[in-house]
Amino acid sequence: MTGKAGSASRSGTRIRLDGCAKTFPDGTRALLDTTLDVAHGEIMALLGPSGCGKTTMLRIVAGLETADAGGRVRFGEDDVTAVPIEKRAVGMVFQSYALFPNMTVAGNVGYGLKVQGVPRHQAAQRVEEVLALCQLTALAGRSVSALSGGQRQRVALARAVAPRPRVLLLDEPLSALDAALRDHLRSELAALLRRLNTTAIFVTHDQAEAMAIAGRIAVMRSGRILQIDTPEALYHAPANSYVAEFVGGANRFDGAYSDPDDSAKLVLPGGELRLPRPLTNGHAVYVRPETIAIANPETAPMTGEVTGLIFQGTHYRLTVDGVTSRAVTVDHPGRTGPKIGDRVGLEINPETILVLPDSDDQAGT
Ligand code: ATP
């Protein structure tokens, strides 16, 4: 470990999980047979609702948890499955930060190097470098108990990267912060992780956070990864209905399918939705809020009643009832919007409709 801490700067290592599952002694199958390949220098988010197995997977990578028999964890060419955490050279950042309150910022950042027995002058130099990288130089001598939440988060990150870990693991690094600060720190953390240029995996249940920070996102549910892709691909080409709803909140349109004269459509309580292609068994129809246009109810193919209206600066977010079995969310651009109680028409270009394999249950259930 001492050698690693003192070695030349590196940009992390490739991480591979092969056939990793986790069954706890009480029989809980927290993670089903999972394969994950995180490239050298990549920032990967594990995104999913509470209890889907994100933290379990992160802990298997860290060496805090062992996978069920047969699972393998590799860092680059090294099989680290049986290597204990203290020998894996991982840096960890937790939601709680777990900083030493009675130490200064520099003391916290240098702690790991001291434990590793890195020579004092070398450690001091490394601490200085990392403090500069994390824009903490001016706070080096301050006690961590006198820092803001955002500053503490940067100290936790600086402390984790000071020993030059092969892998940086972050578990909900922003969730302890209030919403306004979290929004601000999202882009700061993204920029910092890119500057650090290390392989990082971070766990979050917040899709905006995952999209802002990660190069690729693994969307998880019930112990399995449903799709791994760039934020753009997850949004524009979700693999199934669950991903479409969980990432970007696509609207599901349920209705009676009809295909007269080869023009596929759904017959809905509030009108008809023309589909881009025939609907096959086990598939469902989804529409993104921003691809629905508000139109004249006398001429539009679908109508409903506005039951919710939120001004969001660039657009109004409308809730429209009566079109399909669930309320439809519509993002309506412009400086004026309809009012609650208005009857509105909806128009949807069939080219923007997503016809997706239906997951066995839906987001939020
Ligand atoms: P959260 O976002 O709430 O932290 P998560 O996606 O990180 O959730 P995990 O912490 O990985 O989920 O937990 C996955 C499942 O495994 C959950 O059902 C959890 O209750 C269960 N679990 C976690 N640790 C243990 C344990 N030590 N013993 C038994 N079950 C466990």
Side-chain angles (χ1 to χ4, degrees):
M1 288 297 283
T2 307
K4 282 201 173 89
S7 65
S9 183
R10 63 170 101 223
S11 55
T13 188
R14 180 179 175 191
I15 304 165
R16 277 178 300 162
L17 299 188
D18 283 313
C20 282
K22 180 70 192 177
T23 312
F24 284 106
D26 67 357
T28 305
R29 301 189 68 198
L31 193 65
L32 306 180
D33 194 327
T34 297
T35 296
L36 180 73
D37 192 342
V38 185
H40 173 99
E42 181 172 17
I43 302 169
M44 168 79 77
L46 307 181
L47 173 69
S50 181
C52 72
K54 308 177 294 288
T55 300
T56 302
M57 184 161 14
L58 197 78
R59 287 170 61 84
I60 290 173
V61 176
L64 285 163
E65 210 74 79
T66 39
D68 295 348
R72 312 253 43 112
V73 183
R74 290 185 182 82
F75 287 180
E77 295 309 308
D78 304 331
D79 187 328
V80 297
T81 312
V83 175
I85 179 165
E86 64 278 12
K87 299 235 168 74
R88 283 197 191 185
V90 293
M92 294 203 70
V93 179
F94 299 99
Q95 182 179 337
S96 63
Y97 311 143
L99 297 172
F100 303 115
N102 52 344
M103 279 191 196
T104 62
V105 168
N108 268 278
V109 174
Y111 182 80
L113 302 174
K114 198 167 156 189
V115 169
Q116 289 178 355
V118 175
R120 205 189 264 191
H121 68 280
Q122 209 176 320
Q125 193 185 346
R126 183 73 188 135
V127 168
E128 207 174 295
E129 270 171 40
V130 174
L131 288 176
L133 200 60
C134 298
Q135 291 159 347
L136 288 166
T137 306
L139 301 172
R142 197 183 282 186
S143 157
V144 293
S145 49
L147 297 180
S148 70
Q151 290 164 338
R152 280 177 210 208
Q153 190 257 348
R154 270 188 277 152
V155 177
L157 194 61
R159 186 178 63 174
V161 299
R164 289 202 171 105
R166 301 179 77 182
V167 172
L168 187 59
L169 304 174
L170 305 100
D171 195 351
E172 303 269 8
L174 301 177
S175 20
L177 305 167
D178 66 58
L181 188 57
R182 207 160 56 219
D183 283 354
H184 168 71
L185 284 178
R186 230 176 244 154
S187 40
E188 191 176 292
L189 181 61
L192 186 51
L193 285 176
R194 273 173 205 122
R195 273 207 302 279
L196 291 168
N197 198 28
T198 188
T199 311
I201 303 181
F202 80 100
V203 160
T204 182
H205 61 269
D206 179 342
Q207 54 144 317
E209 196 170 303
M211 286 186 150
I213 298 174
R216 283 193 305 155
I217 301 171
V219 180
M220 296 183 66
R221 189 190 61 165
S222 308
R224 77 176 90 229
I225 296 175
L226 297 183
Q227 185 173 3
I228 305 181
D229 246 317
T230 61
E232 291 86 347
L234 287 176
Y235 194 83
H236 295 300
N240 56 42
S241 57
Y242 181 85
V243 176
E245 287 192 40
F246 195 75
V247 179
N251 294 290
R252 182 183 177 106
F253 279 68
D254 284 319
Y257 178 63
S258 135
D259 190 5
D261 314 321
D262 278 345
S263 69
K265 62 184 181 184
L266 281 184
V267 180
L268 307 160
E272 286 185 357
L273 176 63
R274 203 153 63 77
L275 301 179
R277 59 185 164 91
L279 189 62
T280 45
N281 245 349
H283 284 66
V285 172
Y286 281 86
V287 184
R288 294 284 183 202
E290 72 280 12
T291 61
I292 306 174
I294 296 295
N296 181 347
E298 303 307 324
T299 52
M302 290 164 284
T303 56
E305 183 189 333
V306 177
T307 54
L309 179 75
I310 304 171
F311 178 58
Q312 299 200 313
T314 54
H315 62 272
Y316 288 89
R317 173 151 283 208
L318 310 179
T319 306
V320 180
D321 274 342
V323 182
T324 177
S325 52
R326 301 183 191 184
V328 175
T329 302
V330 179
D331 285 346
H332 173 65
R335 297 179 72 88
T336 55
K339 292 184 292 301
I340 289 186
D342 279 359
R343 185 164 176 73
V344 291
L346 302 187
E347 271 174 3
I348 297 167
N349 176 351
E351 297 308 313
T352 62
I353 292 174
L354 302 163
V355 178
L356 302 170
D358 202 6
S359 333
D360 45 357
D361 61 0
Q362 297 302 313
T365 59

